[in-house]
Amino acid sequence: MAIAKRELLSALIKSLDRSEKRFFTSHYQRRDKEEDDKYYRLFQFLSLGGDPAAPEIRAELGVNDAGQMANLQRHLYGLLLESLRRQHRRHDPVIQVQEELDYAHLLYDRGLYLEALVLLKRAKQQAKALHLDLHHILILEFEKMIESRHITRSVEGRMVALTEESRQRQTIQDMTTRLSNLQLTLQRYFIEQGHVSGLAEAQRFHQMFYHNFTGPFFGRSTFRERIGRYRALYWYHYCMMQLDEAAIHAHTWVEEFAKEEALRLRDVSLYLKGLDRCLTLAFFRDMQKEHQACFTRLVLFTDSLPGNRQSRNILRQNKLLHLRTRLNQLLLEDAPELTEKDSRGFHRAIEGLSGIDRHKKQVLWFKLGALLALTGRYSKALDRLEPILNDRQPLRYDVVIYAKILFLLCHFQLGNRELAGYGINNLARYLRRIDYPCQYPRLLVTMLRSLLRGVPPQETLTALKQEAVTLREEGSERRELRYFPLEKLEVIARSFTNR
């Protein structure tokens, strides 16, 4: 197996848990070949954190040139994957279906095509039950090949039935592929453009969506078709900032999984992604009870998952989801209570996150900083904003802008008026330079300048609220208002002092 970088081998070994290392060790220690001993010694060296490029491991293995070492690493990578497949095949039905297909090929190559058909029949039943459409198509094509080359007479009308079944599967796969392509197109649009702004852009976006969207017929649709439809509709309404409609499709997505227990356990990640969408929309719409209900559902589900390897991996990946949801739940409260212990716990949890991009971490730092500011701990809030403000290559401008605004509010509250005045001018220039499309940050800059001139806080907030009335009607501005909700801003502004 070709691997582009030796770091891939180290990353794979690092991801193994104790049971997987023990399984690999017990399996390959039973072999007496000298070459296998080299693989095992290399595995042990890398398991202890050794560098694959270290000269001492070459000397220990008796390897002289880089080519030999690369071959050892490549083969060890393949052995580890084979070991993982052997260990987890009993718990992973997808591996089982693929194995049945592989075994059928082996039987066919030996001329045992009737026996191969028996295995294919069993594999097809599993693939159909798990909605593994691609596997189902591969199995059908293999069955068609056998029937076309050998008159098996296994079942009367076999060829007609295979042709009809293949045609139906092709239609289903075509629909799921089109829906997944559309969903990726909508996600790419959101990443590059953000939410739709302006009537002309909304019309173009609407035409693009319905030109590519064809919903499945519900009487005959499969599980994957329905999930694909809900995901595409969710992204359409979310990009259009039609949050109530997006929430309907996100909840339907989750309920569709709730009705299929086996599929929910098979694709835990996609189910959790649906819950994540429900939580995000509840937060954006300021629905505290709905957010709490979804969070309770999330916790109950993740706590009930069996402790196999797949579940542990998913739980590790979704620490981010649990952490963000807890922070959002506090931000939704009218008077959030953040103890010092909780603050330290959030800090450690964010620092301990791995395998996610820095932007997602920065969002968490901002939320924690906002909570600290709301509870009057301005100096600590400034510390939490440092990872955002020190990033010289930000992935998204919105987090940076609102971190700068929170930074200025905290310094204003701490009495650092000169620093705040300098920062306000810098922020105004920054907004002009990047040509930020939304108006809400500019209104906040105006409010900060008014406070700096000595205008009473209540008067500045009243003016800001009047300006924000029209912004609430703009889809692209509604999301901005969640960074600094006027109600939360009023909590901080009430205690402004003119030091």
Side-chain angles (χ1 to χ4, degrees), residues 1 3 9-10 12-13 16 24 28 35-47 52 61 69-83:
M1 172 176 294
I3 51 176
L9 177 59
S10 298
L12 176 59
I13 291 175
L16 301 177
F24 178 81
Y28 285 98
E35 197 70 14
D36 291 331
D37 184 56
K38 286 185 180 180
Y39 300 136
Y40 180 68
R41 281 186 285 157
L42 176 59
F43 168 73
Q44 288 289 82
F45 177 78
L46 296 177
S47 295
L61 296 175
M69 191 65 186
N71 286 336
L72 278 174
Q73 292 172 11
R74 188 181 304 115
H75 195 68
L76 175 59
Y77 195 79
L79 291 175
L80 287 168
L81 291 177
E82 173 65 19
S83 173

Short mmCIF file of all heavy atoms in Angstrom, two decimals, residues 1 3 9-10 12-13 16 24 28 35-47 52 61 69-83:
data_model
loop_
_atom_site.label_atom_id
_atom_site.label_comp_id
_atom_site.label_asym_id
_atom_site.label_seq_id
_atom_site.Cartn_x
_atom_site.Cartn_y
_atom_site.Cartn_z
N MET A 1 0.85 -1.20 0.00
CA MET A 1 0.00 0.00 0.00
C MET A 1 0.88 1.24 0.00
O MET A 1 1.75 1.40 0.87
CB MET A 1 -0.89 0.00 1.24
CG MET A 1 -1.67 1.29 1.41
SD MET A 1 -2.78 1.21 2.81
CE MET A 1 -3.91 -0.03 2.25
N ILE A 3 1.89 4.97 0.69
CA ILE A 3 1.55 6.08 1.58
C ILE A 3 2.50 7.23 1.26
O ILE A 3 3.69 7.04 1.09
CB ILE A 3 1.66 5.69 3.08
CG1 ILE A 3 2.99 5.04 3.39
CG2 ILE A 3 0.52 4.78 3.46
CD1 ILE A 3 3.19 4.73 4.85
N LEU A 9 1.86 6.91 8.88
CA LEU A 9 2.05 5.72 9.71
C LEU A 9 2.06 6.09 11.19
O LEU A 9 1.41 5.43 12.01
CB LEU A 9 3.36 5.02 9.32
CG LEU A 9 3.74 3.79 10.15
CD1 LEU A 9 2.65 2.73 10.06
CD2 LEU A 9 5.08 3.23 9.67
N SER A 10 2.78 7.15 11.53
CA SER A 10 2.82 7.58 12.93
C SER A 10 1.43 7.98 13.42
O SER A 10 1.05 7.66 14.56
CB SER A 10 3.79 8.77 13.09
OG SER A 10 5.10 8.39 12.73
N LEU A 12 -1.46 6.87 12.33
CA LEU A 12 -2.29 5.68 12.49
C LEU A 12 -1.96 4.97 13.80
O LEU A 12 -2.86 4.56 14.55
CB LEU A 12 -2.10 4.74 11.30
CG LEU A 12 -2.84 3.40 11.37
CD1 LEU A 12 -4.34 3.61 11.47
CD2 LEU A 12 -2.51 2.53 10.16
N ILE A 13 -0.68 4.82 14.10
CA ILE A 13 -0.28 4.14 15.34
C ILE A 13 -0.73 4.93 16.56
O ILE A 13 -1.19 4.37 17.56
CB ILE A 13 1.25 3.92 15.34
CG1 ILE A 13 1.63 2.88 14.28
CG2 ILE A 13 1.74 3.46 16.72
CD1 ILE A 13 3.11 2.67 14.11
N LEU A 16 -4.36 4.29 17.63
CA LEU A 16 -4.75 2.97 18.14
C LEU A 16 -4.96 3.02 19.65
O LEU A 16 -4.20 3.65 20.37
CB LEU A 16 -3.68 1.93 17.81
CG LEU A 16 -3.34 1.71 16.34
CD1 LEU A 16 -2.20 0.71 16.21
CD2 LEU A 16 -4.55 1.26 15.55
N PHE A 24 -2.99 -6.47 17.57
CA PHE A 24 -1.93 -6.50 16.56
C PHE A 24 -0.73 -7.30 17.07
O PHE A 24 -0.16 -8.12 16.36
CB PHE A 24 -1.51 -5.08 16.19
CG PHE A 24 -0.39 -5.02 15.19
CD1 PHE A 24 -0.64 -5.17 13.84
CD2 PHE A 24 0.92 -4.82 15.61
CE1 PHE A 24 0.39 -5.13 12.91
CE2 PHE A 24 1.97 -4.78 14.69
CZ PHE A 24 1.70 -4.94 13.33
N TYR A 28 0.57 -10.88 15.34
CA TYR A 28 1.82 -10.96 14.58
C TYR A 28 2.98 -11.55 15.37
O TYR A 28 4.01 -11.86 14.80
CB TYR A 28 2.16 -9.58 14.00
CG TYR A 28 1.26 -9.27 12.83
CD1 TYR A 28 0.15 -8.47 13.01
CD2 TYR A 28 1.49 -9.84 11.60
CE1 TYR A 28 -0.71 -8.22 11.95
CE2 TYR A 28 0.63 -9.61 10.54
CZ TYR A 28 -0.47 -8.79 10.72
OH TYR A 28 -1.32 -8.57 9.68
N GLU A 35 11.31 -11.35 8.81
CA GLU A 35 10.80 -10.09 8.26
C GLU A 35 9.66 -9.54 9.11
O GLU A 35 9.56 -8.34 9.35
CB GLU A 35 10.32 -10.30 6.81
CG GLU A 35 10.16 -9.02 6.01
CD GLU A 35 11.48 -8.36 5.68
OE1 GLU A 35 12.53 -9.00 5.82
OE2 GLU A 35 11.45 -7.18 5.28
N ASP A 36 8.78 -10.44 9.59
CA ASP A 36 7.67 -10.01 10.45
C ASP A 36 8.19 -9.43 11.76
O ASP A 36 7.58 -8.51 12.32
CB ASP A 36 6.73 -11.18 10.73
CG ASP A 36 5.97 -11.61 9.50
OD1 ASP A 36 5.73 -10.73 8.64
OD2 ASP A 36 5.63 -12.80 9.39
N ASP A 37 9.29 -9.97 12.26
CA ASP A 37 9.88 -9.44 13.48
C ASP A 37 10.34 -8.00 13.28
O ASP A 37 10.24 -7.17 14.18
CB ASP A 37 11.06 -10.32 13.92
CG ASP A 37 11.64 -9.85 15.24
OD1 ASP A 37 10.88 -9.76 16.22
OD2 ASP A 37 12.85 -9.54 15.28
N LYS A 38 10.82 -7.70 12.08
CA LYS A 38 11.22 -6.32 11.78
C LYS A 38 10.03 -5.38 11.84
O LYS A 38 10.10 -4.28 12.38
CB LYS A 38 11.87 -6.24 10.40
CG LYS A 38 13.28 -6.80 10.33
CD LYS A 38 13.87 -6.56 8.96
CE LYS A 38 15.30 -7.12 8.88
NZ LYS A 38 15.89 -6.88 7.54
N TYR A 39 8.90 -5.82 11.28
CA TYR A 39 7.70 -4.99 11.30
C TYR A 39 7.25 -4.75 12.74
O TYR A 39 6.87 -3.64 13.12
CB TYR A 39 6.55 -5.66 10.53
CG TYR A 39 6.86 -5.91 9.08
CD1 TYR A 39 6.54 -7.12 8.48
CD2 TYR A 39 7.47 -4.94 8.30
CE1 TYR A 39 6.82 -7.36 7.14
CE2 TYR A 39 7.76 -5.17 6.96
CZ TYR A 39 7.43 -6.39 6.39
OH TYR A 39 7.71 -6.61 5.08
N TYR A 40 7.33 -5.82 13.55
CA TYR A 40 6.88 -5.69 14.94
C TYR A 40 7.80 -4.76 15.72
O TYR A 40 7.34 -3.94 16.52
CB TYR A 40 6.82 -7.06 15.60
CG TYR A 40 6.37 -6.99 17.04
CD1 TYR A 40 5.07 -6.63 17.34
CD2 TYR A 40 7.25 -7.24 18.08
CE1 TYR A 40 4.64 -6.53 18.66
CE2 TYR A 40 6.84 -7.15 19.40
CZ TYR A 40 5.54 -6.79 19.67
OH TYR A 40 5.13 -6.69 20.97
N ARG A 41 9.12 -4.88 15.51
CA ARG A 41 10.05 -3.99 16.23
C ARG A 41 9.87 -2.54 15.79
O ARG A 41 9.96 -1.62 16.62
CB ARG A 41 11.49 -4.45 15.99
CG ARG A 41 11.89 -5.65 16.85
CD ARG A 41 13.36 -5.98 16.69
NE ARG A 41 13.63 -6.63 15.41
CZ ARG A 41 14.82 -6.63 14.82
NH1 ARG A 41 15.83 -6.01 15.38
NH2 ARG A 41 14.99 -7.28 13.68
N LEU A 42 9.61 -2.32 14.51
CA LEU A 42 9.32 -0.96 14.04
C LEU A 42 8.04 -0.43 14.67
O LEU A 42 7.96 0.73 15.09
CB LEU A 42 9.20 -0.96 12.51
CG LEU A 42 8.82 0.38 11.85
CD1 LEU A 42 9.85 1.47 12.18
CD2 LEU A 42 8.69 0.21 10.34
N PHE A 43 7.04 -1.31 14.77
CA PHE A 43 5.78 -0.92 15.41
C PHE A 43 5.99 -0.53 16.87
O PHE A 43 5.47 0.50 17.34
CB PHE A 43 4.78 -2.07 15.29
CG PHE A 43 3.54 -1.91 16.14
CD1 PHE A 43 2.57 -0.99 15.79
CD2 PHE A 43 3.37 -2.66 17.29
CE1 PHE A 43 1.42 -0.83 16.56
CE2 PHE A 43 2.23 -2.51 18.07
CZ PHE A 43 1.26 -1.60 17.71
N GLN A 44 6.76 -1.33 17.60
CA GLN A 44 7.04 -1.03 19.00
C GLN A 44 7.77 0.31 19.14
O GLN A 44 7.46 1.10 20.04
CB GLN A 44 7.88 -2.15 19.61
CG GLN A 44 7.13 -3.44 19.84
CD GLN A 44 6.12 -3.30 20.97
OE1 GLN A 44 5.02 -2.80 20.78
NE2 GLN A 44 6.51 -3.73 22.16
N PHE A 45 8.73 0.55 18.29
CA PHE A 45 9.51 1.80 18.33
C PHE A 45 8.60 3.01 18.10
O PHE A 45 8.66 4.00 18.84
CB PHE A 45 10.62 1.75 17.28
CG PHE A 45 11.44 3.00 17.19
CD1 PHE A 45 12.43 3.28 18.12
CD2 PHE A 45 11.22 3.92 16.16
CE1 PHE A 45 13.18 4.44 18.04
CE2 PHE A 45 11.96 5.08 16.07
CZ PHE A 45 12.96 5.34 17.01
N LEU A 46 7.71 2.93 17.11
CA LEU A 46 6.83 4.04 16.80
C LEU A 46 5.74 4.20 17.85
O LEU A 46 5.28 5.31 18.12
CB LEU A 46 6.21 3.85 15.42
CG LEU A 46 7.18 3.84 14.23
CD1 LEU A 46 6.44 3.57 12.93
CD2 LEU A 46 7.92 5.16 14.14
N SER A 47 5.33 3.08 18.47
CA SER A 47 4.31 3.16 19.53
C SER A 47 4.80 3.94 20.73
O SER A 47 4.01 4.57 21.44
CB SER A 47 3.90 1.75 19.98
OG SER A 47 3.28 1.06 18.93
N PRO A 52 10.15 7.90 12.73
CA PRO A 52 10.48 6.93 11.68
C PRO A 52 11.78 7.25 10.95
O PRO A 52 12.40 6.35 10.37
CB PRO A 52 9.29 7.03 10.71
CG PRO A 52 8.20 7.70 11.48
CD PRO A 52 8.85 8.54 12.51
N LEU A 61 17.14 -2.38 13.01
CA LEU A 61 16.47 -3.28 12.07
C LEU A 61 17.42 -3.83 11.01
O LEU A 61 17.03 -4.72 10.24
CB LEU A 61 15.32 -2.54 11.38
CG LEU A 61 14.17 -2.06 12.27
CD1 LEU A 61 13.17 -1.25 11.45
CD2 LEU A 61 13.47 -3.24 12.92
N MET A 69 13.74 1.13 4.11
CA MET A 69 12.97 1.63 5.25
C MET A 69 11.56 2.05 4.82
O MET A 69 10.58 1.79 5.52
CB MET A 69 13.71 2.82 5.87
CG MET A 69 13.14 3.25 7.22
SD MET A 69 13.36 1.95 8.46
CE MET A 69 12.46 2.65 9.83
N ALA A 70 11.47 2.68 3.65
CA ALA A 70 10.16 3.09 3.14
C ALA A 70 9.28 1.87 2.88
O ALA A 70 8.06 1.89 3.14
CB ALA A 70 10.33 3.91 1.87
N ASN A 71 9.87 0.80 2.37
CA ASN A 71 9.10 -0.43 2.11
C ASN A 71 8.60 -1.05 3.41
O ASN A 71 7.46 -1.54 3.48
CB ASN A 71 9.96 -1.44 1.35
CG ASN A 71 10.15 -1.05 -0.10
OD1 ASN A 71 9.33 -0.33 -0.67
ND2 ASN A 71 11.24 -1.51 -0.71
N LEU A 72 9.46 -1.04 4.44
CA LEU A 72 9.03 -1.55 5.75
C LEU A 72 7.85 -0.75 6.30
O LEU A 72 6.87 -1.32 6.79
CB LEU A 72 10.19 -1.50 6.74
CG LEU A 72 11.22 -2.64 6.69
CD1 LEU A 72 12.37 -2.34 7.63
CD2 LEU A 72 10.57 -3.97 7.05
N GLN A 73 7.94 0.57 6.21
CA GLN A 73 6.87 1.42 6.73
C GLN A 73 5.58 1.21 5.95
O GLN A 73 4.48 1.14 6.53
CB GLN A 73 7.30 2.89 6.66
CG GLN A 73 8.44 3.24 7.60
CD GLN A 73 8.96 4.64 7.37
OE1 GLN A 73 8.36 5.43 6.64
NE2 GLN A 73 10.08 4.96 7.99
N ARG A 74 5.72 1.08 4.63
CA ARG A 74 4.54 0.89 3.78
C ARG A 74 3.85 -0.44 4.12
O ARG A 74 2.63 -0.51 4.23
CB ARG A 74 4.97 0.93 2.32
CG ARG A 74 3.82 0.92 1.33
CD ARG A 74 4.31 0.94 -0.11
NE ARG A 74 5.18 2.08 -0.34
CZ ARG A 74 6.47 2.01 -0.65
NH1 ARG A 74 7.05 0.82 -0.74
NH2 ARG A 74 7.19 3.09 -0.86
N HIS A 75 4.66 -1.48 4.30
CA HIS A 75 4.07 -2.79 4.59
C HIS A 75 3.47 -2.82 6.00
O HIS A 75 2.40 -3.43 6.21
CB HIS A 75 5.12 -3.88 4.45
CG HIS A 75 4.54 -5.25 4.37
ND1 HIS A 75 3.79 -5.69 3.30
CD2 HIS A 75 4.58 -6.29 5.25
CE1 HIS A 75 3.39 -6.94 3.52
NE2 HIS A 75 3.86 -7.33 4.70
N LEU A 76 4.11 -2.17 6.95
CA LEU A 76 3.56 -2.10 8.31
C LEU A 76 2.22 -1.38 8.30
O LEU A 76 1.28 -1.78 9.01
CB LEU A 76 4.54 -1.39 9.24
CG LEU A 76 4.05 -1.15 10.68
CD1 LEU A 76 3.69 -2.47 11.36
CD2 LEU A 76 5.11 -0.40 11.50
N TYR A 77 2.10 -0.34 7.50
CA TYR A 77 0.83 0.39 7.38
C TYR A 77 -0.28 -0.55 6.92
O TYR A 77 -1.39 -0.56 7.47
CB TYR A 77 1.01 1.54 6.38
CG TYR A 77 -0.09 2.58 6.42
CD1 TYR A 77 -0.12 3.57 7.39
CD2 TYR A 77 -1.08 2.59 5.44
CE1 TYR A 77 -1.11 4.54 7.41
CE2 TYR A 77 -2.09 3.55 5.45
CZ TYR A 77 -2.08 4.52 6.43
OH TYR A 77 -3.07 5.47 6.43
N GLY A 78 0.04 -1.37 5.91
CA GLY A 78 -0.94 -2.33 5.42
C GLY A 78 -1.29 -3.39 6.45
O GLY A 78 -2.46 -3.78 6.59
N LEU A 79 -0.29 -3.86 7.20
CA LEU A 79 -0.54 -4.86 8.25
C LEU A 79 -1.45 -4.31 9.34
O LEU A 79 -2.32 -5.02 9.86
CB LEU A 79 0.78 -5.33 8.85
CG LEU A 79 1.69 -6.18 7.95
CD1 LEU A 79 3.01 -6.47 8.67
CD2 LEU A 79 1.01 -7.48 7.54
N LEU A 80 -1.23 -3.05 9.71
CA LEU A 80 -2.07 -2.43 10.74
C LEU A 80 -3.53 -2.31 10.28
O LEU A 80 -4.46 -2.57 11.05
CB LEU A 80 -1.52 -1.04 11.10
CG LEU A 80 -0.24 -1.04 11.93
CD1 LEU A 80 0.37 0.35 11.98
CD2 LEU A 80 -0.51 -1.53 13.35
N LEU A 81 -3.72 -1.91 9.03
CA LEU A 81 -5.08 -1.81 8.51
C LEU A 81 -5.74 -3.19 8.44
O LEU A 81 -6.93 -3.34 8.75
CB LEU A 81 -5.07 -1.16 7.12
CG LEU A 81 -4.68 0.32 7.08
CD1 LEU A 81 -4.64 0.81 5.64
CD2 LEU A 81 -5.66 1.17 7.90
N GLU A 82 -4.98 -4.20 8.06
CA GLU A 82 -5.51 -5.55 8.03
C GLU A 82 -5.89 -6.02 9.43
O GLU A 82 -6.93 -6.67 9.63
CB GLU A 82 -4.47 -6.50 7.42
CG GLU A 82 -4.81 -7.98 7.47
CD GLU A 82 -6.03 -8.32 6.63
OE1 GLU A 82 -6.39 -7.53 5.74
OE2 GLU A 82 -6.62 -9.40 6.87
N SER A 83 -5.06 -5.68 10.42
CA SER A 83 -5.36 -6.04 11.80
C SER A 83 -6.64 -5.35 12.28
O SER A 83 -7.48 -5.97 12.95
CB SER A 83 -4.18 -5.64 12.70
OG SER A 83 -4.48 -5.83 14.06
#
